[in-house]
Amino acid sequence: METGSPLEAGIPGDEPVWRALPPGLLRMRRLLLVVWTVLLALAAGLLPGLLAGPAWAAFALLPVVCAAWCWRLLGRNWRSWRYTERADDLLISRGVLWREETVVPYGRMQLVEVTSGPVERRFGLATVQLHTAAAATDATIPGLDPAEAERLRDRLTELGEARSAGL
C-alpha cells in the first residue's frame, strides 16, 4: 500500500492514494489474543483437571487451537483496512470476505473525534471516529498514530466546515 499526499487522490482520472493502518494495531490485537488465550486455557484446563481428573486438562488445548486460527485472521483483517482522502469525501475500505467501503462526504461530517483507551495509549495508537447526520454512515479508523489521527481530525474538520458552509 502506497502512502503519499492526499491531494494527489483528488485529481480526476487518477487512482486514490490509499493509506494502510500502522502495524502497532496488529501487535496490540495479537497481544490481547495471547493474554485472553492464556487465561482461557488455564480456566479450561485447570478447573476440569482438578475436578474431574488429569485427562480433562486436555480441554486447555481448545483455546490454544482457536487462538492459532485467530492469529492468522487478525493479520488478514489488519491488512484489509485502508483509507484515502479524496477531493470531496473520505473513503474507508475494510473486510476480507465481505468487503465494505464507506464514503463519508466532507460536507456531511458533524463531528470528528479522536479517542484512545488505556491499551491503545500503551501501544501509541488512537482511533478517529466520524459522525454524520445519518447514523448509518458513521465511520471509524482504528489504530492510527496519534499525530496522524490529530492531523486527520484537523483536516477533516477544516474540510467539513468549508463544505458545509457552501450548502
Side-chain angles (χ1 to χ4, degrees), residues 10 23 27 30 43 46 50 52 56 63 70 72 78 87-88 90 98-99 110 112-114 131:
R27 283 193 300 271
R30 283 183 170 168
L46 190 60
L50 291 173
W56 288 92
C70 288
R72 180 175 166 88
W78 171 76
D88 296 320
L90 178 74
W98 286 274
R99 240 17 231 152
Q110 292 184 330
V112 181
E113 61 183 345
V114 175
H131 299 280

Side-chain angles (χ1 to χ4, degrees), residues 80-93:
S80 75
W81 277 84
R82 59 191 187 149
Y83 67 98
T84 186
E85 300 169 58
R86 299 191 306 183
D88 296 320
D89 51 32
L90 178 74
L91 181 61
I92 304 168
S93 178

Side-chain angles (χ1 to χ4, degrees), residues 8 13 16 20 40 47 53 56 60 72 81 105 120 133 149-150 153:
E8 296 170 10
L40 288 173
L47 198 59
W56 288 92
R72 180 175 166 88
W81 277 84
E120 284 180 310
E150 290 177 16
R153 179 200 59 207

Side-chain angles (χ1 to χ4, degrees), residues 16-44:
V17 179
W18 291 98
R19 294 176 185 253
L21 298 182
L25 179 65
L26 181 60
R27 283 193 300 271
M28 179 189 75
R29 287 180 175 174
R30 283 183 170 168
L31 177 66
L32 290 174
L33 175 67
V34 168
V35 168
W36 281 107
T37 300
V38 168
L39 293 174
L40 288 173
L42 283 173

Side-chain angles (χ1 to χ4, degrees), residues 48-83:
L50 291 173
L51 297 176
W56 288 92
F59 277 111
L61 294 176
L62 287 173
V64 173
V65 169
C66 288
W69 183 58
C70 288
W71 184 276
R72 180 175 166 88
L73 291 180
L74 284 173
R76 290 181 63 191
N77 179 270
W78 171 76
R79 282 189 300 276
S80 75
W81 277 84
R82 59 191 187 149
Y83 67 98

